[in-house]
């Protein structure tokens, strides 16, 4: 069990639901585009948003952005600690500091002094791409998986010591590497040594085709081990895709439920209905239905092509159909309830919801 930290109204750690974060890809100084993207992300299920603060204009833009959005906003700071001071003054709900490029104790002290007044947390966000050379060389330049992980952990633990010496404990930690294995190793190692809540992610995971796989494996493996309190999927692409992927990871692990779950088979030569059409049509109608009603739990629906795995999956789902030649047999709560013609399948499944 990790310590619980609040970012705006969102609780992170200490048994709180695992929250979903993303980062805007707009120039933060372009206030209207940044607000538009944040609103789109909020609609897709993002719960905490981070913006890049690369200069004072961006830090000051936070005030205007915050007025128009509902999500807690995190200021992402690198190199210049005075940008953190400006972002805090302008209403940031959390500051991300990179131990690789803001490490002078007197500078950190300045940030902590102000952040304590505002009662907001710091994320100590280490990345394999920006570990300080001092740590790297001691770890033989961090070549192997284990060495890279150790270097990340050491970098964060050193930073935490500085913050704790200043009596500051509202800390969230990330230890991201572009290597899935190093990421997993680093988080596992750190979680044995500390109770600070963990922000999970595989950094620079790539475009959606590979990034979704890397993130699902890295984040998923850690969550399965009970490690992780908030997640950010990093993709080279639309940030909405990052949020959807994060939701799908959490839903697949049955940690949170965000929408309908449809189990449908890939079909093969045994299938004697147009299962793809049925599944797509049902998904469209079901999503509309789910959005209309605020469901506490979304029923699991199985749409299966034939009698091989069909009846088994259909019986296990809340509602399911196993198809035959131009027909489907509907099961509800494990019981066979009716036999319907192919063209009636979607309508009849919806009727049973
Ligand atoms: S359930 Fe039947 S149709 Fe679907 S993939 Fe399996 S064997 Fe093929």
């Amino acid at each position: 069990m990790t310590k619980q930290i609040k970012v705006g109204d969102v609780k992170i750690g200490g048994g709180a639901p695992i929250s979903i974060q993303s980062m805007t890809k707009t120039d933060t100084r372009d206030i209207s585009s940044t607000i538009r993207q944040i609103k789109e992300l909020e609609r897709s299920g993002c719960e905490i948003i981070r913006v890049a603060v690369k200069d004072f204009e961006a830090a000051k833009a936070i005030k205007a952005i915050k007025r128009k959005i509902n999500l807690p906003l995190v200021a992402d700071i690198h190199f210049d600690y005075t940008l953190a001071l400006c972002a805090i003054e302008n209403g940031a709900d959390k500051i991300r500091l990179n131990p690789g490029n803001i490490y002078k104790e007197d500078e950190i002290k300045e940030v902590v002094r102000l952040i304590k007044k505002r009662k907001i947390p710091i994320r100590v966000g280490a990345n394999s791409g920006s570990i300080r050379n001092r740590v790297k060389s001691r770890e033989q330049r961090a070549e192997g998986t284990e060495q890279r992980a150790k270097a990340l952990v050491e970098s964060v633990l050193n930073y935490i010591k500085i913050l704790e010496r200043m009596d500051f404990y509202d800390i969230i930690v990330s230890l991201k590497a572009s290597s899935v294995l190093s990421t997993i190793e680093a988080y596992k190692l750190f979680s044995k040594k500390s109770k600070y809540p963990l922000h999970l992610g595989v950094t620079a995971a790539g475009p959606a085709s590979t990034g979704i796989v890397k993130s699902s494996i890295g984040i998923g493996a850690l969550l399965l081990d009970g490690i992780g309190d908030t997640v950010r999927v990093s993709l080279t692409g639309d940030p909405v895709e990052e949020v959807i992927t994060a939701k799908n990871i959490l839903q697949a692990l049955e940690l949170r439920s965000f929408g309908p779950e449809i189990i449908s088979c890939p079909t093969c030569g045994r299938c004697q209905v147009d299962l793809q059409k049925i599944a797509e049509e049902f998904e469209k109608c079901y999503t509309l239905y789910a959005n209309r009603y605020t469901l506490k739990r979304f029923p699991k629906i199985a749409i299966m092509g034939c009698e091989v795995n069909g009846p088994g999956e259909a019986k296990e789902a809340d509602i399911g159909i196993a198809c035959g030649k131009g027909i489907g047999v509907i099961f509800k709560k494990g019981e066979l309830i009716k036999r319907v013609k192919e063209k009636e399948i979607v309508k009849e499944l919806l009727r049973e919801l």
Side-chain angles (χ1 to χ4, degrees), residues 171-238:
I171 302 165
I172 296 165
V173 166
S174 63
L175 311 113
K176 301 183 187 179
S178 52
S179 146
V180 174
L181 297 181
S182 297
T183 302
I184 294 173
E185 187 71 26
Y187 279 100
K188 282 188 174 174
L189 194 58
F190 182 84
S191 71
K192 284 188 195 137
K193 296 173 186 263
S194 171
K195 292 280 175 210
Y196 286 116
L198 289 169
H199 162 129
L200 299 185
V202 176
T203 197
S209 56
T210 49
I212 290 174
V213 175
K214 284 188 185 178
S215 300
S216 303
I217 294 172
I219 294 172
L222 288 162
L223 290 174
L224 270 176
D225 266 359
I227 297 169
D229 302 285
T230 180
V231 300
R232 192 262 167 128
V233 170
S234 307
L235 300 176
T236 311
D238 186 349

Side-chain angles (χ1 to χ4, degrees), residues 264-272 275 304-310:
S264 61
C265 79
T267 80
C268 68
R270 290 180 190 276
C271 187
Q272 296 180 84
L275 200 77
M304 302 293 293
C306 81
E307 72 281 13
V308 174
N309 297 315

Side-chain angles (χ1 to χ4, degrees), residues 134-135 138 153-163:
R134 187 180 62 80
V135 179
R138 201 181 310 147
V153 172
E154 189 187 339
S155 151
V156 168
L157 288 174
N158 288 342
Y159 213 79
I160 288 177
K161 270 188 210 145
I162 299 173
L163 296 176

Side-chain angles (χ1 to χ4, degrees), residues 66-332:
K66 282 265 307 174
R67 267 192 229 117
K68 299 278 183 187
I69 63 167
N70 301 311
L71 300 181
L73 183 144
V74 184
D76 195 62
I77 313 288
H78 299 269
F79 306 111
D80 183 353
Y81 79 102
T82 60
L83 292 175
L85 301 178
C86 187
I88 298 166
E89 294 284 12
N90 281 280
D93 298 295
K94 181 172 88 174
I95 297 291
R96 181 271 173 110
L97 296 179
N98 183 338
N101 55 40
I102 295 181
Y103 47 82
K104 290 185 185 149
E105 216 163 314
D106 55 336
E107 295 183 355
I108 301 170
K109 211 170 184 170
E110 282 293 299
V111 177
V112 171
R113 190 185 52 75
L114 186 59
I115 222 164
K116 273 181 164 177
K117 274 195 205 159
R118 296 293 154 100
K119 296 189 169 37
I120 62 168
I122 290 177
R123 168 156 69 95
V124 179
N127 271 56
S128 56
S130 52
I131 295 180
R132 282 185 69 205
N133 284 337
R134 187 180 62 80
V135 179
K136 256 190 167 178
S137 60
R138 201 181 310 147
E139 296 290 345
Q140 289 110 28
R141 302 219 157 264
E143 289 308 331
T145 298
E146 207 178 314
Q147 299 294 17
R148 259 196 304 264
K150 277 187 183 163
L152 275 167
V153 172
E154 189 187 339
S155 151
V156 168
L157 288 174
N158 288 342
Y159 213 79
I160 288 177
K161 270 188 210 145
I162 299 173
L163 296 176
E164 288 179 339
R165 273 205 298 276
M166 295 171 194
D167 224 8
F168 185 79
Y169 306 95
D170 286 341
I171 302 165
I172 296 165
V173 166
S174 63
L175 311 113
K176 301 183 187 179
S178 52
S179 146
V180 174
L181 297 181
S182 297
T183 302
I184 294 173
E185 187 71 26
Y187 279 100
K188 282 188 174 174
L189 194 58
F190 182 84
S191 71
K192 284 188 195 137
K193 296 173 186 263
S194 171
K195 292 280 175 210
Y196 286 116
L198 289 169
H199 162 129
L200 299 185
V202 176
T203 197
S209 56
T210 49
I212 290 174
V213 175
K214 284 188 185 178
S215 300
S216 303
I217 294 172
I219 294 172
L222 288 162
L223 290 174
L224 270 176
D225 266 359
I227 297 169
D229 302 285
T230 180
V231 300
R232 192 262 167 128
V233 170
S234 307
L235 300 176
T236 311
D238 186 349
V240 168
E241 191 80 10
E242 296 182 354
V243 173
I244 291 167
T245 305
K247 284 164 80 174
N248 286 340
I249 293 171
L250 295 177
Q251 181 146 334
L253 294 174
E254 298 180 18
L255 291 167
R256 290 183 69 182
S257 175
F258 298 97
E261 185 178 351
I262 298 173
I263 295 160
S264 61
C265 79
T267 80
C268 68
R270 290 180 190 276
C271 187
Q272 296 180 84
V273 293
D274 187 348
L275 200 77
Q276 186 178 344
K277 188 171 161 221
I278 293 169
E280 284 172 1
E281 201 179 321
F282 180 79
E283 186 178 38
K284 205 157 73 190
C285 298
Y286 189 17
T287 306
L288 288 175
Y289 165 89
N291 287 343
R292 194 164 331 132
Y293 302 100
T294 320
L295 302 177
K296 282 214 173 79
R297 178 183 162 272
F298 292 93
K300 196 184 270 186
I301 314 290
I303 300 176
M304 302 293 293
C306 81
E307 72 281 13
V308 174
N309 297 315
E313 292 290 351
K315 277 183 195 165
E316 272 189 29
D318 293 294
I319 302 166
I321 189 148
C323 296
K325 189 173 180 187
I327 58 133
V329 178
I330 296 184
F331 294 82
K332 191 169 182 178

